Amino acid sequence: MTDIDLARALERIREAIRPYPPAALFALAEEGYRSTFEVLVACVLSIRTRDETTVPVARRLFAEARTPEALLQLASSRLLELIRPVTFAEQKVETLHAIARDVLTRYHGEVPCTDEALRGFRGVGPKCANLTLTIACGIPRIAVDVHVQRIVNRWGYVRTRTPEETLQALEARVPRALWGEINPLLVPFGKHYCTPKRPWCSRCPVADMCARVGVSISR
């Protein structure tokens, strides 16, 4: 594993991504959609869906329903109409209704800020739980998506095969003070610099720290 100065790398990345939009859930939070329920719902919408689709779909849904009560009042057909552009929209209608029902029946309308409760909701895994804790609850966690998975392995910072392995490895190595910065910095970095194919190594702000594991062709 490469022993890079992670704090210095993240500082460089912060400057490099400044011209670009934030990752979807952080962009929505900046617009005021930052309750635990809203962040959780937005994260479910974002699964296997591009940010460019997630953000407008979440805005459209939240224009009609920002609480579990309001979401349950939407018929499945109307909810599907609102979220249809996201991937697996039909399944997500069922998931969102199930989450809203659970919030009301088990937690009296408030989504708890605990990992156990969040992961207990239908369709919610470590990434969505950790993003909700970070954004809505102010409890920094490391959220591993495809960009984080690719980048930290490409750096040689970890050697893992799955998001679950990556999360465990990062929690063991990354100082807690930096946990909440990993996802919001590496997602736009992965979209505009450390891309899946032919990454922009020639203009990468951390090229001197990167082991370029698995990179055969770059720009």
Side-chain angles (χ1 to χ4, degrees):
M1 292 186 292
T2 302
D3 188 21
I4 71 172
D5 184 339
L6 185 61
R8 188 156 60 99
L10 294 179
E11 185 60 38
R12 292 183 187 179
I13 290 169
R14 184 179 295 105
E15 290 303 313
I17 66 171
R18 198 176 295 279
Y20 301 105
L25 270 64
F26 294 89
L28 289 165
E30 289 181 1
E31 295 178 18
Y33 304 112
R34 59 182 314 119
S35 73
T36 48
F37 183 71
E38 288 168 339
V39 175
L40 190 59
V41 165
C43 195
V44 170
L45 293 175
S46 76
I47 296 170
R48 301 290 182 88
T49 302
R50 293 180 178 274
D51 285 2
E52 294 79 6
T53 300
T54 298
V55 171
V57 168
R59 287 178 185 143
R60 186 161 61 245
L61 173 57
F62 292 148
E64 295 196 19
R66 298 183 64 173
T67 65
E69 295 91 343
L71 194 144
L72 277 179
Q73 288 175 5
L74 293 176
S76 295
S77 58
R78 177 54 180 160
L79 182 53
L80 179 59
E81 183 182 353
L82 290 169
I83 72 168
R84 190 179 295 279
V86 304
T87 307
F88 308 129
E90 291 84 357
Q91 295 95 315
K92 289 177 181 178
V93 166
E94 297 179 6
T95 297
L96 292 175
H97 272 158
I99 289 173
R101 280 193 298 270
D102 270 359
V103 173
L104 291 173
T105 59
R106 297 172 60 192
Y107 300 111
H108 310 291
E110 295 292 333
V111 178
C113 284
T114 68
D115 184 74
E116 181 181 9
L118 289 166
R119 294 202 199 188
F121 290 120
R122 175 174 173 172
V124 177
K127 184 189 78 170
C128 283
N130 286 351
L131 282 168
T132 302
L133 289 169
T134 298
I135 297 170
C137 303
I139 304 172
R141 290 289 187 268
I142 298 172
V144 177
D145 68 352
V146 292
H147 296 291
V148 174
Q149 172 76 15
R150 176 179 71 255
I151 292 165
V152 295
N153 275 277
R154 186 174 280 172
W155 284 348
Y157 190 70
V158 301
R159 294 178 183 175
T160 55
R161 293 175 298 176
T162 67
E164 292 75 19
E165 290 179 359
T166 302
L167 177 59
Q168 292 178 1
L170 291 176
E171 286 179 341
R173 290 202 71 187
V174 176
R176 278 185 174 268
L178 300 178
W179 280 17
E181 298 195 66
I182 297 295
N183 189 276
L185 293 179
L186 294 194
V187 169
F189 178 67
K191 292 174 66 176
H192 300 286
Y193 287 89
C194 199
T195 51
K197 298 180 179 179
R198 297 185 67 209
W200 290 91
C201 297
S202 61
R203 59 185 180 93
C204 174
V206 295
D208 59 321
M209 302 183 188
C210 181
R212 302 190 190 189
V213 175
V215 176
S216 56
I217 301 176
S218 63
R219 289 179 279 190

